[in-house]
């Protein structure tokens, strides 16, 4: 079934309307979404995406419906992987949690704009040059290989700097500040307009989105060449991304096998594209420019491979003791840094919540098996941060005796005995009987 101009216009109006609704009713006023709010709206957007798939199935046929669902699930999975990078970027720019929604919203809009452009460009190329399928297939195979390539020491540090070429150019030609002014993009400093870090982090997120689009668009073209299905699958996968970020934040580190699952999916789609390219071949130096009669992967098989692969890696990740250990270690370090950086989260209630999480994570850190404690890098630095966090908390209570109802809400919670833990790093048996201090 051919998609009419009216259907295109109505679809785009609906998507723009959903984005506008999200901005004016959720993002415009800075706040930290609760788990309930994030779960509710994530469920709503997923339901809308599923219902739209039913519409496609009924109006355009089973094949189109299956293509839409396969594309939507693939794009949503790639978007979740992108959240890891967003988390690193916003952490490196120390974006207050209440303002992170606006940054994410900007990233989603920029991503949708660029991906829409890439979709129509890709459609034009495919319609004009059959050899583009070979190019898309090779891009996906290379991306899959990069996902499973072992990380080198310092890779995380390089990513966390979030200081790409665009940022350097912005800082060179614009007067910038080192502090936020609410969620404003510009502020006045000594009578001069200056760019705040809020605009810089948006530039970083936007630049990253463009790079992500170069991988995700070939992936979905490997599942369908219908531009309407490609566009709607991409759009609906992005719409609920902001709510999903706050819903699974803290669990992202648990998905330690996600990149391997995505590598399998991208490699599978890459092979599917190359097989399709051979079937439609007109490249002179391959089979004399004649089509090669090869087996083609069906859309139903593609959907099955994508769903089974994702379910397998999610279950394996959540059941993995190593994944749980990595989550504990990274969350402990992250909460300690956030608690100590008053400029990052100045709200006492947020900082106290971070401290509560820090205390709970210390106990989980303590309970890690010896083989998983080897996953802790820069142990002494982490222990020093924990000591400083406890000392800072004690000073705050001494300086504000009326805070929290006049007492320490964590007074009955045991803290990690960092001195004993330091000893344990040299002699694990020394930790027995000295794990906690009151």
């Amino acid at each position: 079934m051919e998609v009419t101009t009216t259907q295109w216009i109505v679809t785009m109006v609906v998507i723009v309307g959903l984005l506008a609704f999200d901005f004016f009713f959720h993002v415009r006023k800075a706040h930290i979404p609760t788990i309930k709010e994030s779960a509710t709206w994530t469920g709503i957007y997923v339901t809308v995406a599923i219902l739209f798939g039913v519409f496609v199935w009924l109006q355009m046929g089973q094949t189109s419906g299956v293509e839409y669902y396969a594309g939507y699930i693939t794009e949503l999975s790639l978007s979740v992987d992108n959240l890891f990078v967003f988390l690193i970027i916003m952490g490196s720019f120390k974006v207050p949690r209440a303002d992170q929604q606006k940054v994410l919203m900007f990233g989603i809009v920029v991503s949708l704009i660029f991906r829409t452009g890439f979709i129509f460009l890709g459609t034009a190329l495919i319609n004009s040059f059959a050899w583009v399928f070979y190019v898309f297939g090779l891009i996906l195979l290379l991306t899959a290989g990069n996902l499973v390539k072992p990380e080198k020491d310092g890779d995380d540090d390089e990513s966390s700097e979030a200081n790409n070429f665009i940022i350097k150019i912005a800082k060179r030609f614009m007067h910038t500040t080192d502090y936020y002014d609410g969620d404003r993009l510009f502020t006045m400093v000594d009578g001069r307009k200056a760019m705040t870090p809020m605009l810089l982090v948006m530039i970083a997120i936007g630049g990253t989105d463009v790079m992500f689009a170069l991988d995700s668009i070939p992936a979905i073209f490997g599942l369908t060449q219908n531009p309407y299905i490609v566009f709607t699958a991409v759009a609906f996968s992005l719409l609920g991304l902001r709510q999903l970020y706050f819903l699974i934040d803290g669990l992202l580190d648990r998905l330690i096998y996600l990149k391997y699952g995505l590598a399998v999916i991208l490699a599978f789609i890459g092979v599917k594209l190359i097989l399709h390219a051979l079937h439609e071949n007109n490249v002179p130096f391959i089979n004399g420019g004649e089509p090669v009669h090869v087996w083609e992967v069906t859309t139903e098989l593609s959907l099955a491979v994508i769903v089974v692969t994702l379910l397998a890696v999610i279950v394996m990740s959540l059941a993995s003791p190593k994944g749980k250990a990595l989550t504990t270690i990274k969350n402990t370090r992250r909460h300690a840094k956030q608690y100590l950086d008053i400029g990052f989260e100045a709200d006492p209630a947020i900082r106290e919540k971070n401290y509560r999480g820090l205390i709970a994570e210390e106990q989980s850190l303590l309970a890690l098996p010896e083989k998983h404690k080897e996953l802790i890098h820069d142990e002494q630095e982490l222990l020093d941060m924990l000591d400083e966090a406890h000392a800072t908390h004690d000073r705050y209570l001494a300086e504000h005796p009326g805070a929290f109802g006049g007492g320490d809400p964590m007074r009955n919670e045991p803290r990690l005995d960092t001195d004993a833990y330091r000893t344990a790093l040299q002699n694990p048996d020394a930790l027995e009987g000295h794990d906690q201090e009151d």
Side-chain angles (χ1 to χ4, degrees):
M1 175 181 174
E2 185 176 348
V3 180
T4 64
T5 302
T6 301
Q7 189 172 336
W8 268 106
I9 293 173
V10 170
T11 302
M12 289 189 173
V13 168
V14 169
I15 290 172
V16 172
L18 288 171
L19 286 170
F21 171 83
D22 207 18
F23 176 78
F24 285 106
F25 288 92
H26 296 111
V27 178
R28 192 176 184 182
K29 183 179 180 181
H31 72 286
I32 302 175
T34 63
I35 294 295
K36 181 180 179 180
E37 177 186 342
S38 299
T40 299
W41 285 102
T42 297
I44 289 174
Y45 279 109
V46 170
T47 301
V48 169
I50 292 173
L51 291 177
F52 183 82
V54 173
F55 165 78
V56 170
W57 194 303
L58 295 176
Q59 294 294 316
M60 302 175 65
Q62 176 181 334
T63 299
S64 295
V66 174
E67 287 176 349
Y68 167 80
Y69 284 121
Y72 170 73
I73 294 171
T74 299
E75 291 298 309
L76 186 61
S77 304
L78 291 169
S79 296
V80 170
D81 189 51
N82 297 348
L83 291 181
F84 286 94
V85 180
F86 291 167
L87 186 65
I88 292 172
I89 291 176
M90 285 195 279
S92 66
F93 278 99
K94 300 180 180 179
V95 182
R97 193 162 176 78
D99 296 323
Q100 290 181 4
Q101 288 197 96
K102 183 166 288 187
V103 176
L104 286 169
M105 189 70 183
F106 175 83
I108 289 169
V109 172
V110 169
S111 182
L112 187 57
I113 291 172
F114 277 103
R115 293 186 193 205
T116 300
F118 285 141
I119 287 168
F120 287 109
L121 176 61
T123 302
L125 289 173
I126 286 172
N127 290 335
S128 303
F129 309 103
W131 52 262
V132 171
F133 286 112
Y134 288 113
V135 176
F136 282 1
L138 290 173
I139 288 174
L140 294 181
L141 290 175
L142 289 173
T143 303
N146 287 331
L147 283 173
V148 297
K149 185 172 63 176
E151 294 182 358
K152 298 178 181 179
D153 292 337
D155 281 355
D156 289 341
D157 293 336
E158 292 175 5
S159 299
S160 65
E161 290 177 2
N163 194 24
N164 59 27
F165 178 74
I166 298 176
I167 298 297
K168 292 180 180 179
I169 293 295
K171 287 186 173 181
R172 181 175 180 180
F173 292 100
M174 293 290 295
H175 180 45
T176 61
T177 69
D178 295 326
Y179 59 86
Y180 290 88
D181 185 7
D183 58 3
R184 293 182 178 87
L185 304 182
F186 293 92
T187 188
M188 299 299 293
V189 179
D190 298 329
R192 294 176 59 197
K193 180 178 284 190
M195 181 191 302
T196 69
M198 180 62 71
L199 183 54
L200 291 177
V201 71
M202 286 184 173
I203 293 172
I205 292 287
T208 304
D209 276 329
V210 175
M211 296 179 61
F212 288 152
L214 296 176
D215 295 334
S216 69
I217 297 306
I220 194 168
F221 269 118
L223 299 168
T224 177
Q225 285 82 59
N226 186 319
Y228 182 76
I229 295 177
V230 172
F231 171 75
T232 51
V234 169
F236 282 110
S237 70
L238 291 172
L239 280 175
L241 194 60
R242 179 187 60 81
Q243 294 86 354
L244 189 63
Y245 173 87
F246 289 95
L247 180 62
I248 66 175
D249 181 25
L251 291 178
L252 284 174
D253 293 323
R254 287 293 297 272
L255 303 177
I256 61 172
Y257 299 121
L258 178 62
K259 67 176 183 178
Y260 299 107
L262 291 176
V264 170
I265 291 171
L266 293 180
F268 172 81
I269 298 175
V271 171
K272 181 177 184 292
L273 271 172
I274 292 175
L275 290 174
H276 180 73
L278 290 170
H279 194 270
E280 303 290 331
N281 179 64
N282 59 8
V283 178
F285 57 83
I286 298 179
N287 197 36
E290 296 295 323
V292 180
H293 298 291
V294 294
W295 173 70
E296 283 207 85
V297 181
T298 64
T299 306
E300 289 78 10
L301 177 60
S302 299
L303 179 60
V305 169
I306 292 167
V307 172
V308 170
T309 302
L310 285 176
L311 287 176
V313 297
I314 289 172
V315 170
M316 289 171 60
S317 294
L318 295 179
S320 167
K322 180 180 178 181
K324 184 177 180 180
L326 284 171
T327 302
T328 296
I329 294 166
K330 291 184 178 181
N331 283 347
T332 302
R333 193 182 301 275
R334 180 157 58 97
H335 277 130
K337 286 182 178 179
Q338 289 179 357
Y339 186 80
L340 291 172
D341 193 341
I342 298 177
F344 187 4
E345 296 290 4
D347 188 334
I350 297 177
R351 298 187 67 238
E352 187 62 23
K353 184 178 179 180
N354 284 344
Y355 187 74
R356 287 173 179 269
L358 184 61
I359 290 292
E361 286 151 7
E362 283 183 347
Q363 304 313 309
S364 298
L365 188 71
L366 189 66
L368 291 180
E370 290 300 323
K371 63 178 181 179
H372 290 148
K373 289 177 182 175
E374 296 175 357
L375 298 172
I376 305 175
H377 300 294
D378 300 321
E379 299 95 336
Q380 298 296 345
E381 178 192 11
L382 175 59
L383 293 172
D384 289 342
M385 277 198 300
L386 294 176
D387 279 338
E388 188 178 354
H390 294 319
T392 301
H393 182 74
D394 292 340
R395 282 197 304 271
Y396 179 83
L397 290 177
E399 294 169 0
H400 303 83
F404 313 113
D408 182 2
M410 306 302 296
R411 62 183 179 276
N412 295 323
E413 296 292 337
R415 298 176 177 177
L416 178 67
D417 187 342
T418 50
D419 289 335
Y421 203 93
R422 283 188 178 87
T423 303
L425 292 175
Q426 305 298 327
N427 179 16
D429 295 335
L431 190 57
E432 297 180 4
H434 299 282
D435 290 349
Q436 301 171 351
E437 61 178 8
D438 294 329

